[in-house]
Amino acid sequence: MAAGSKIAKIALPIVLVALTALVGYTVFKTTGSTALTSSPSAPPPVAAPTAIAPPAPGAAATPPPAPTAAAVAGAAQPTVAAAPVGVVAAVPGLTPRIWPAYSPVTIGQLQPPETSSTGGSARVANPPGYEMKLEFTPLGAGIAKLQSARLFDSIQSSKQHEVLQQMFARSVLYSDGTTRGYKLVPMAVLGVTVNGVYIPLTGTLEEPIWQQSGPGQFFAILADGEGKDVVKLTRTFELVPGTYSVRVLQEAINLSEQTINLAWRQAGAMDIPNSKIGYGGDVRRLRIGTIPGAAANPDGQFVDGTTFTPHDTVIGKPLDGLGLQWTDLPIHPTTRSAERGEKLAWVALSNRYFASAVYSLADRQPKRADGKPDKELKLTAQVERVALAREDDGYGNAVIGNEAEMTKHAALVTVLQGAVGSIAPGAAADYSVGLYAGPVSTNAIAGDKSAEAAGLEGLVLYSFGGPCVVCTFQSLTYTLRWYLGFLHDYVLKDWALAVIFLVLTVRTILHPVTKWSQANLQRFGKQMQKLAPKQAALKEKYGDDPKRLREETARLMQEEKINYLQALGCLPMFLQMPVWIALYAMIYFTYELRHEGGFFGVFQAISGGSWGFLGDLAEPDRLISLGFSFPIPWVSALIGRINAINFLPLLLGVVFYFQQKYLSPPQATTLSPEMETQQKITKIMMVILFPLMMYNAPAALSLYFVANSTLGIIESRHIRKHVEREDKFREEQEKLLGPVAKRLLLEQPKQGFFARIQDELQRRMASAEDLRKQREKASRQPRK
């Protein structure tokens, strides 16, 4: 059997097993504990608050029924987790009081553009101040708009304050001429279940259920059929100076003379509203912070934040052409999380650089029996989601009726359902939560004691998910991120130079592996070129006897001391792939690169700020801004719309051409004219397609690829010359020392780790071949 066949027989099963493991691990990690599997049954949640509940699937063409108390959004009886509470009778006629219409007062304030915070200064202002402005709506006493005080959406002069939470409204015109409105309101109270009866609490703008008692302070009253107050619900939004957090203090006070059972239901965080799909695809995600079960986490202090589910997976499939009804996909608990005894510390929705997360306030709830803080978010007995399709994709293109587009562009809000608990007469139950709305950055989260206590630093995750998830080891990405920050903060003081020097450092560390791999490939290519005439002669002589041809070829390879395993010199290169993929993901998701100019902002300095070239390392370099955008069919789905002429991708195409030229090993065999033409076309397509796919890449990533390819060319030329010098010296030795010395020279033991691995693999393959021959010989002998 030829050595090539032996390699295939050994390598092929290994590759298949590795691919199977890779796919399985990817599915496991990317779904995590949010895997959309079976969970406690619950009715599909309704978009809230609205005039009426959405129509049933297929009912889009008919007018909806007249509004009734039972049809108001959120009025559907939710499924709540039962707690050990006493059996109590329903309170007859329990309804919320209605208040006169009003306009809620805002809290916090926006700062002028000159005080803007860039990514590199993700830490809060000093002295600490309010980092956001909150606008409210009477609808469920929720958030109408949450804006960052010092973070802006671009570096342009027309920049706007970043909006991190915003109420989403949509009106639907039905066939009978009636119009019904649907709204999603972040952090709105949807209702409470009192003694087994669900009471919706969203209200309307004209007849609000929640009354304002002060800036950011609201209350609602539930009265019985006789007009006597039974339950008072209070909400207070507190901005925490020097953080990106809001404390939402919530209580239910029992005003009656009997114990009541109550479960709280509210909307949680909502999509970051300005998330547009660009380079890298849709990186919006549902994130959860999971507290593993007692067996794996006895003190309950560890919070795993690595689990995420892609945005379109969370939304699911629309069940009608209007995008008002969706498949019922639970978030928590799932079968897997229930089996593991997992609890949630926080639930978040994020995009590339920002997150909105609802988390537990450990200081507002009793400590564990061991005296340590309880990090569980108590309003997560059941976590659902509500989706509502947008009418367009943000560029004026209609999406209603297109299932895939509705899913991609739907608005999403989480729904938190608390468990049933008892409240004694005159007592109060606490349902307080924290809301983090800010950068996905360790620097931004640091210093926020309540967010840190809830394990919110787990939001910082450098991973694209999918097949690459196994390569983006977070310990590796965190190390690379620390080193990048060290280079910027203490050595170079510039992020662009830090990225380039980081690539130089990584290539230097990996140089021994690269050198060994390229040297082996280069030598193997030369050896096979010299051997080609002898192989052709053997093929001509034994072409009619394949078995004899394999044997003679193997003998020839052995005589010439040529080892097919040298062709596997590229395998160690694959060992480097996790490093480069981790580096790629780290640069893409590093918030500190956002709005940071490259090379000390020299291009902005010489143009007085009017030239945006390399002004934001998190965006394309924008050599020339077009002032408008346009899509490229099929391509824009991966890289986004084109809005500028970018220079770095074009430079990358040139560099990539020379890299292919210098990195390509010598051909092991003579190619036919057709194969040569095909190879040339492949190289040209790679030179064109790769820069095209990188055209809208962030400038920092383009710098990373340009630097990596340039250094790769220099390194490859150095290795090639080094190998040529060694081979020339060896040939001179062989000429001087004669055939005996030549044989001894070829049989010199190889040095180095990879060489030893190669020798061991070769030895084992030889043993396997001897065993095969012995079995063939035994099988030919006649049985006695």
Side-chain angles (χ1 to χ4, degrees):
M1 180 181 291
S5 300
K6 292 184 286 186
I7 294 173
K9 283 195 171 185
I10 293 177
L12 185 58
I14 296 174
V15 171
L16 292 176
V17 172
L19 288 175
T20 303
L22 174 61
V23 173
Y25 183 78
T26 299
V27 173
F28 172 80
K29 288 296 290 181
T30 53
T31 55
S33 60
T34 60
L36 304 177
T37 57
S38 60
S39 72
S41 60
V46 180
T50 69
I52 60 165
T62 60
T68 64
V72 176
Q77 175 70 45
T79 301
V80 295
V85 295
V87 178
V88 294
V91 181
L94 193 62
T95 56
R97 293 193 180 278
I98 305 299
W99 309 97
Y102 66 95
S103 297
V105 178
T106 63
I107 60 174
Q109 60 183 359
L110 302 179
Q111 300 298 323
E114 55 267 22
T115 66
S116 64
S117 172
T118 62
S121 55
R123 294 182 177 88
V124 296
N126 188 20
Y130 292 144
E131 292 292 337
M132 60 187 70
K133 177 185 177 181
L134 273 174
E135 300 176 21
F136 301 99
T137 173
L139 301 173
I143 295 175
K145 181 186 286 188
L146 187 158
Q147 293 175 275
S148 176
R150 299 185 306 116
L151 301 177
F152 292 81
D153 61 356
S154 73
I155 62 171
Q156 301 173 2
S157 58
S158 58
K159 57 189 175 184
Q160 303 293 324
H161 289 271
E162 281 284 359
V163 179
L164 301 178
Q165 293 285 272
Q166 187 169 26
M167 179 175 65
F168 172 65
R170 177 184 158 203
S171 296
V172 178
L173 177 63
Y174 288 88
S175 58
D176 67 344
T178 60
T179 300
R180 293 293 183 264
Y182 300 87
K183 294 183 176 70
L184 299 181
V185 181
M187 300 304 292
V189 177
L190 302 181
V192 292
T193 300
V194 179
N195 293 355
V197 178
Y198 182 70
I199 304 165
L201 294 174
T202 52
T204 65
L205 294 176
E206 296 76 17
E207 296 183 336
I209 291 173
W210 291 86
Q211 178 60 281
Q212 179 179 245
S213 57
Q217 300 176 7
F218 304 89
F219 70 90
I221 301 292
L222 303 183
D224 60 17
E226 299 178 355
K228 184 178 180 181
D229 295 347
V230 176
V231 181
K232 181 179 182 180
L233 309 171
T234 65
R235 308 192 85 196
T236 301
F237 291 81
E238 293 183 351
L239 293 180
V240 184
T243 73
Y244 294 96
S245 286
V246 184
R247 290 169 63 88
V248 187
L249 309 182
Q250 307 178 138
E251 284 189 336
I253 306 170
N254 185 0
L255 304 178
S256 69
E257 297 178 353
Q258 63 177 4
T259 298
I260 62 171
N261 295 337
L262 187 141
W264 188 286
R265 181 178 176 83
Q266 73 169 74
M270 192 170 170
D271 276 333
I272 310 297
N274 61 345
S275 301
K276 290 187 177 180
I277 301 173
Y279 177 83
D282 191 354
V283 293
R284 293 175 297 170
R285 299 162 175 175
L286 168 76
R287 300 288 307 279
I288 63 172
T290 306
I291 305 173
N297 187 24
D299 62 359
Q301 301 305 293
F302 172 69
V303 178
D304 180 11
T306 60
T307 300
F308 66 86
T309 306
H311 184 267
D312 56 351
T313 303
V314 179
I315 288 179
K317 180 180 180 181
L319 299 178
D320 59 47
L322 294 177
L324 302 177
Q325 292 279 350
W326 302 79
T327 50
D328 182 21
L329 302 177
I331 295 175
H332 177 84
T334 63
T335 302
R336 181 168 170 266
S337 65
E339 291 174 351
R340 296 187 175 192
E342 296 174 343
K343 300 177 181 179
L344 300 187
W346 48 265
V347 180
L349 292 170
S350 68
N351 61 12
R352 180 181 172 193
Y353 285 138
F354 294 100
S356 54
V358 179
Y359 61 91
S360 61
L361 292 177
D363 62 316
R364 296 283 298 187
Q365 55 194 34
K367 293 186 177 182
R368 291 163 43 95
D370 57 8
K372 295 183 178 180
D374 188 353
K375 297 188 176 186
E376 181 186 3
L377 179 59
K378 299 304 181 182
L379 287 178
T380 54
Q382 186 165 297
V383 181
E384 306 157 10
R385 59 92 180 98
V386 172
L388 183 60
R390 303 179 189 273
E391 293 182 301
D392 60 63
D393 61 357
Y395 297 101
N397 303 310
V399 302
I400 300 301
N402 185 320
E403 180 178 302
E405 291 298 308
M406 284 195 298
T407 299
K408 183 187 300 183
H409 299 289
L412 175 67
V413 67
T414 54
V415 175
L416 311 178
Q417 174 65 61
V420 178
S422 292
I423 308 177
D430 191 278
Y431 301 97
S432 300
V433 296
L435 172 65
Y436 177 86
V440 180
S441 165
T442 303
N443 290 335
I445 298 172
D448 187 341
K449 294 182 179 179
S450 60
E452 284 187 312
L456 215 61
E457 69 276 1
L459 280 171
V460 182
L461 182 68
Y462 307 105
S463 175
F464 284 98
C468 294
V469 72
V470 295
C471 294
T472 47
F473 304 107
Q474 290 309 290
S475 57
L476 178 57
T477 57
Y478 291 149
T479 302
L480 292 171
R481 173 61 187 86
W482 170 86
Y483 183 61
L484 180 67
F486 173 80
L487 291 174
H488 172 268
D489 296 343
Y490 301 103
V491 182
L492 301 170
K493 304 296 183 179
D494 179 79
W495 287 106
L497 293 177
V499 168
I500 295 173
F501 197 86
L502 174 60
V503 175
L504 174 62
T505 303
V506 173
R507 290 209 73 97
T508 301
I509 294 174
L510 297 177
H511 175 71
V513 180
T514 305
K515 180 181 178 181
W516 186 89
S517 301
Q518 292 190 15
N520 263 354
L521 285 173
Q522 184 174 337
R523 288 194 173 107
F524 180 76
K526 289 182 178 180
Q527 289 173 332
M528 293 301 294
Q529 281 182 327
K530 293 180 179 179
L531 199 65
K534 295 182 179 180
Q535 284 183 313
L538 288 177
K539 188 175 181 180
E540 184 177 353
K541 185 176 182 180
Y542 302 107
D544 297 333
D545 188 351
K547 182 179 179 181
R548 181 70 183 276
L549 177 62
R550 288 195 300 269
E551 292 175 351
E552 294 297 328
T553 301
R555 184 178 296 108
L556 175 63
M557 299 286 289
Q558 187 175 9
E559 290 174 355
E560 296 292 333
K561 301 297 182 181
I562 297 177
N563 184 2
Y564 266 119
L565 291 178
Q566 286 184 294
L568 301 180
C570 59
L571 290 181
M573 299 294 290
F574 287 103
L575 300 178
Q576 303 178 39
M577 291 305 295
V579 178
W580 295 115
I581 294 176
L583 181 59
Y584 176 86
M586 182 275 293
I587 292 175
Y588 181 83
F589 286 104
T590 293
Y591 174 82
E592 282 68 23
L593 297 175
R594 180 179 180 270
H595 294 181
E596 285 291 321
F599 304 107
F600 303 99
V602 61
F603 302 104
Q604 288 68 54
I606 63 178
S607 65
S610 61
W611 192 15
F613 180 59
L614 288 178
D616 186 351
L617 291 174
E619 295 292 328
D621 61 82
R622 290 175 179 157
L623 178 68
I624 302 175
S625 295
L626 299 177
F628 60 91
S629 66
F630 61 91
I632 299 178
W634 301 295
V635 177
S636 288
L638 298 174
I639 68 172
R641 296 167 69 94
I642 306 300
N643 58 14
I645 297 176
N646 301 320
F647 169 72
L648 289 179
L650 305 179
L651 175 62
L652 181 61
V654 176
V655 175
F656 195 65
Y657 167 78
F658 286 104
Q659 184 185 29
Q660 278 199 328
K661 180 178 181 181
Y662 287 110
L663 285 182
S664 298
Q667 290 294 333
T669 58
T670 303
L671 299 179
S672 65
E674 293 80 8
M675 294 180 65
E676 286 185 356
T677 302
Q678 183 179 5
Q679 190 177 72
K680 289 180 181 179
I681 294 175
T682 302
K683 288 184 177 181
I684 293 174
M685 292 297 293
M686 287 295 294
V687 170
I688 295 175
L689 288 179
F690 191 75
L692 178 61
M693 291 297 100
M694 290 291 297
Y695 190 79
N696 263 0
L701 278 178
S702 296
L703 285 173
Y704 152 64
F705 277 108
V706 170
N708 187 44
S709 298
T710 303
L711 292 172
I713 293 172
I714 297 172
E715 184 181 32
S716 179
R717 295 194 66 180
H718 169 74
I719 293 173
R720 181 168 296 186
K721 290 181 178 180
H722 176 75
V723 171
E724 289 174 353
R725 286 196 301 267
E726 283 190 344
D727 291 346
K728 185 177 181 181
F729 177 73
R730 183 181 291 270
E731 290 174 0
E732 291 176 351
Q733 281 186 317
E734 292 172 359
K735 291 178 180 178
L736 293 174
L737 299 177
V740 177
K742 176 181 178 181
R743 179 176 57 81
L744 294 176
L745 194 62
L746 290 172
E747 293 176 353
Q748 285 181 356
K750 299 182 179 70
Q751 301 296 322
F753 174 73
F754 291 109
R756 291 196 298 272
I757 291 180
Q758 178 178 315
D759 289 343
E760 177 63 20
L761 183 57
Q762 184 178 4
R763 185 188 65 79
R764 294 192 179 189
M765 289 178 64
S767 298
E769 177 67 11
D770 291 341
L771 181 61
R772 184 192 65 79
K773 289 181 178 179
Q774 292 175 9
R775 289 177 177 176
E776 285 185 356
K777 184 178 180 180
S779 64
R780 295 194 201 100
Q781 295 179 355
R783 297 181 179 179
K784 297 180 180 180

